[in-house]
Amino acid sequence: MDLHFGDSKPTDDERAAVDALLGPPESSWEGADRSDADLRWARGGREARDRRDLLLPGLHAINDRIGWISDGALDYLCRRLTVPPAEAYGVATFYAMFSVKPRPATVLHVCTDLACAAAGAQELCAGIEGRLGPGVHVERSPCLGLCERAPAALAVRAGDPVRTAVSAPATVDAAVLAATAPDSAPQEPPAALAVPQAGSPDLVLLRRIGVVDPTSLDDYRAHGGYTALRRAFELGPAGVIREVTDSGLVGRGGAAFPTGRKWQATASQPDHPHYVVCNADESEPGTFKDRVLMEGDPFALVEAMTIAGYATGAHRGYLYLRGEYPRALRRLEHALAQARARGLLGEDVLGQGYAFDIEIRRGAGAYICGEETALFNSIEGYRGEPRSKPPFPVEKGLFGKPTVENNVETLVNVLPILTMGAPAYAAIGTRASTGPKLFCVSGSVARPGIYELPFGATLGELLELAGVRDGLRAVLLGGAAGGFVRPDETDIPLTFEGTREAGTTLGSGVVMAFDDTVPLPRLLLRIAEFFRDESCGQCVPCRVGTVRQEEALHRIVERTGAAAAGDIALLREVGRAMRDASICGLGQTAWNAVESAIDRLGAYE
């Protein structure tokens, strides 16, 4: 393929940002200031093309340093990686956190999604925009994963280094301070503040949060850290997989696929290398459990990924982290550096002759990248669009090799399985849904946060712990891709089978309560806007269906009864088409919440 570059040139800062990631260029083809005789051929060939997976980190490097990605910067990055500029442009414009148009160095992301909308996000945006001048770009953002402290804002100031500040719960004054003086903004509260049960002896997954210093490897080990990895080396790879299988652990991201089966299928593949991918791109509105785990107990995730790698025959892991989680990024980078320095990652983990290391890859604001194959494409330097299955990731996943992919909560569950044993772990919860589960509770409750309960506890018991307010109108289970239930349905058992029998879903563990002050039609419209914005556009049912769904809801947002009947019939038809024909879970679930609000709550009666 011939590569056609434009005439735009990078600035010195843009060149420095790329070179800091890739090293200095070695030829004029790559942009070096040399007078090579002929620039019509690319040096490096296949070796250069094999670095395409550095495209996303390269875009981050430019965006972090400058605040936006110019034509000259994009061309320079493409020369360095031998990537067609047209393809790189398609990648850069895929992500909400990047801009290919000039904008100020400071961007203030203000969440306008469900929990924040109910907490006054629109009024907050109006107040902020009235106070900030042209030096700050205010971006109305999807969920920032700070639902327990709604409304929320995240300020990002480009430079070397990039600076960030979080304001949550945000006021106009606090958000303006975060945007204009991020270094002077108040420190974020400790992760334990998001765990109302912190310090309880009954906790399994959250037992270290608020107890252990998340920056201290010694403190982590003093509280049982790396006991599970030592146990894994005693059992051997097959023994670890057997324990995970016998425990009954299933994926905690919503699909509930048996984790042991996934690990076994990956380990048995003859093609090598194998990879472990941690999906830490929790972008479902209302979900923030993985953020709290990474901020409050980062070494646990490093240990769990190492165990997954050992069990499945992988020597490299990728941790795909939401771009909106700056503190989690800092905590994990520190944890990885400490683990390498102490022989817990690297060429000889714990002196056992097993080599394993982890690389963090940052997302950049794309909900669809929570889908495993879209995540693989994102890491590889392509647009984050889902792939058709089969082949499945256990056969051909990241870089076309066998890959095991799990989210943060799923991986962290492996530690107690190995320390307490599969039978003891399986005794927690129910027969079909074993172990503890984390629930993200937000909205109209007195004590929002992450709650750990055994599978089988009821929705009512969880809401009682969180202190649900009077006037409860509805509860959203599973986030925007989930469904609403009525206040008289709080006896639903919080298990995969229990919610399924009740005609709803547990999803990733979102429990969002809304009282009668929240206008339900406006809430449904926000959900539709979210799916329209986040659809990758690859398949027609989702690309067109999410648009038609939003249009219909705009028309009936203030209507009820017979006036809304025609558009409700259209919504049902469009919803069925998306559910039956979309290529991935985004389109398949985009109608769920609206359908449940119409049928269970009588939203337009």
Side-chain angles (χ1 to χ4, degrees):
M1 176 186 292
D2 195 5
L3 304 185
H4 296 280
F5 296 100
D7 296 327
S8 301
K9 302 297 182 185
T11 66
D12 289 343
D13 276 348
E14 290 168 340
R15 184 186 293 269
V18 175
D19 291 350
L21 175 72
L22 302 179
E26 296 182 357
S27 70
S28 296
W29 169 265
E30 290 186 329
D33 293 327
R34 299 177 187 173
S35 55
D36 285 10
D38 190 353
L39 298 182
R40 295 182 61 192
W41 58 278
R43 300 193 180 199
R46 181 179 297 277
E47 181 180 344
R49 290 191 292 274
D50 284 346
R51 297 199 302 171
R52 174 153 186 163
D53 68 294
L54 294 177
L55 178 59
L56 183 57
L59 293 172
H60 268 298
I62 298 168
N63 199 73
D64 285 350
R65 180 78 67 96
I66 311 300
W68 68 288
I69 301 164
S70 70
D71 290 346
L74 190 64
D75 268 8
Y76 182 62
L77 177 61
C78 290
R79 281 190 180 277
R80 298 298 314 276
L81 297 177
T82 319
V83 173
E87 291 187 23
Y89 181 85
V91 174
T93 54
F94 186 81
Y95 298 98
M97 296 187 77
F98 295 150
S99 175
V100 294
K101 296 179 180 179
R103 67 179 181 185
T106 302
V107 178
L108 182 66
H109 301 269
V110 183
C111 177
T112 57
D113 236 318
L114 305 180
C116 290
Q122 293 300 335
E123 294 81 0
L124 177 66
C125 284
I128 290 170
E129 289 169 338
R131 292 270 301 275
L132 290 174
V136 177
H137 174 69
V138 179
E139 183 86 25
R140 283 170 165 80
S141 170
C143 184
L144 294 173
L146 295 161
C147 314
E148 85 280 13
R149 290 184 272 147
L154 168 66
V156 181
R157 176 172 292 181
D160 184 22
V162 63
R163 286 172 287 172
T164 62
V166 168
S167 177
T171 62
V172 172
D173 289 342
V176 168
L177 177 62
T180 56
D183 293 336
S184 301
Q187 292 287 320
E188 282 193 74
L193 192 67
V195 183
Q197 301 163 299
S200 170
D202 297 328
L203 297 177
V204 177
L205 304 178
L206 302 176
R207 65 187 179 88
R208 278 186 288 263
I209 294 180
V211 175
V212 171
D213 178 0
T215 65
S216 171
L217 177 57
D218 289 333
D219 205 9
Y220 175 70
R221 296 181 77 167
H223 288 81
Y226 283 95
T227 303
L229 180 58
R230 293 184 183 278
R231 174 68 175 149
F233 284 131
E234 293 172 5
L235 292 170
V240 172
I241 293 175
R242 185 166 54 250
E243 285 287 297
V244 173
T245 302
D246 292 347
S247 73
L249 175 66
V250 299
R252 299 299 201 244
F257 190 84
T259 304
R261 281 176 55 191
K262 182 183 286 190
W263 287 20
Q264 179 59 52
T266 305
S268 63
Q269 294 297 318
D271 193 15
H272 285 274
H274 295 178
Y275 292 104
V276 168
V277 173
C278 172
N279 184 345
D281 190 57
E282 57 168 3
S283 304
E284 186 68 53
T287 311
F288 50 97
K289 57 187 174 60
D290 291 351
R291 171 184 63 80
V292 173
L293 285 170
M294 291 184 289
E295 291 180 351
D297 199 10
F299 291 103
L301 180 56
V302 175
E303 181 182 4
M305 287 187 69
T306 308
I307 292 170
Y310 176 66
T312 58
H315 297 284
R316 188 158 194 82
Y318 287 88
L319 199 164
Y320 190 91
L321 178 66
R322 276 199 78 180
E324 297 90 341
Y325 284 176
R327 183 163 70 171
L329 174 64
R330 293 192 298 270
R331 292 277 167 85
L332 287 165
E333 286 177 337
H334 174 78
L336 292 176
Q338 289 290 302
R340 291 187 191 105
R342 303 282 285 276
L344 300 169
L345 285 175
E347 293 299 318
D348 188 14
V349 175
L350 278 177
Q352 298 293 319
Y354 168 63
F356 185 76
D357 210 340
I358 298 169
E359 183 176 346
I360 297 174
R361 290 295 175 93
R362 292 161 59 199
Y367 171 76
I368 189 63
C369 288
E371 197 277 338
E372 58 184 358
T373 60
L375 186 156
F376 299 155
N377 277 341
S378 181
I379 291 176
E380 292 175 20
Y382 297 92
R383 289 168 62 88
E385 296 172 343
R387 304 172 184 173
S388 296
K389 303 173 188 176
F392 295 97
V394 296
E395 301 165 313
K396 291 188 179 297
L398 185 64
F399 304 120
K401 298 297 182 179
T403 304
V404 62
E405 181 267 356
N406 295 117
N407 72 357
V408 175
E409 184 187 355
T410 307
L411 286 164
V412 170
N413 268 273
V414 172
L415 305 183
I417 288 172
L418 294 183
T419 54
M420 69 172 58
Y425 179 91
I428 302 171
T430 67
R431 182 176 180 181
S433 297
T434 64
K437 178 75 184 81
L438 300 183
F439 297 95
C440 311
V441 185
S442 61
S444 303
V445 295
R447 295 176 293 279
I450 301 296
Y451 288 84
E452 179 184 314
L453 292 174
F455 274 116
T458 67
L459 176 59
E461 290 170 343
L462 176 59
L463 291 175
E464 184 178 353
L465 282 176
V468 68
R469 297 173 189 161
D470 293 336
L472 183 64
R473 173 75 171 89
V475 179
L476 179 61
L477 295 180
F484 287 96
V485 298
R486 300 186 305 271
D488 62 355
E489 296 181 291
T490 55
D491 59 344
I492 294 175
L494 295 174
T495 60
F496 292 110
E497 67 277 11
T499 52
R500 188 164 49 246
E501 290 170 6
T504 185
T505 179
L506 193 62
S508 58
V510 173
V511 178
M512 199 175 294
F514 298 100
D515 60 26
D516 49 18
T517 66
V518 179
L520 191 56
R522 295 287 177 184
L523 201 67
L524 299 179
L525 181 57
R526 179 66 190 101
I527 291 174
E529 291 171 346
F530 172 80
F531 280 114
R532 176 180 179 166
D533 288 342
E534 296 296 343
S535 172
C536 74
Q538 180 181 196
C539 68
V540 172
C542 179
R543 181 176 70 241
V544 177
T546 53
V547 174
R548 296 292 172 260
Q549 177 172 265
E550 184 192 351
E551 290 172 345
L553 288 171
H554 266 293
R555 290 193 295 268
I556 64 176
V557 68
E558 300 296 349
R559 299 181 191 173
T560 57
D567 279 314
I568 289 176
L570 175 63
L571 282 168
R572 293 189 188 280
E573 183 178 352
V574 170
R576 283 194 297 269
M578 288 194 292
R579 183 175 292 162
D580 293 343
S582 295
I583 195 173
C584 81
L586 188 151
Q588 293 162 11
T589 61
W591 153 245
N592 285 2
V594 179
E595 179 184 35
S596 64
I598 293 171
D599 293 342
R600 300 181 90 125
L601 304 180
Y604 299 104
E605 292 178 358

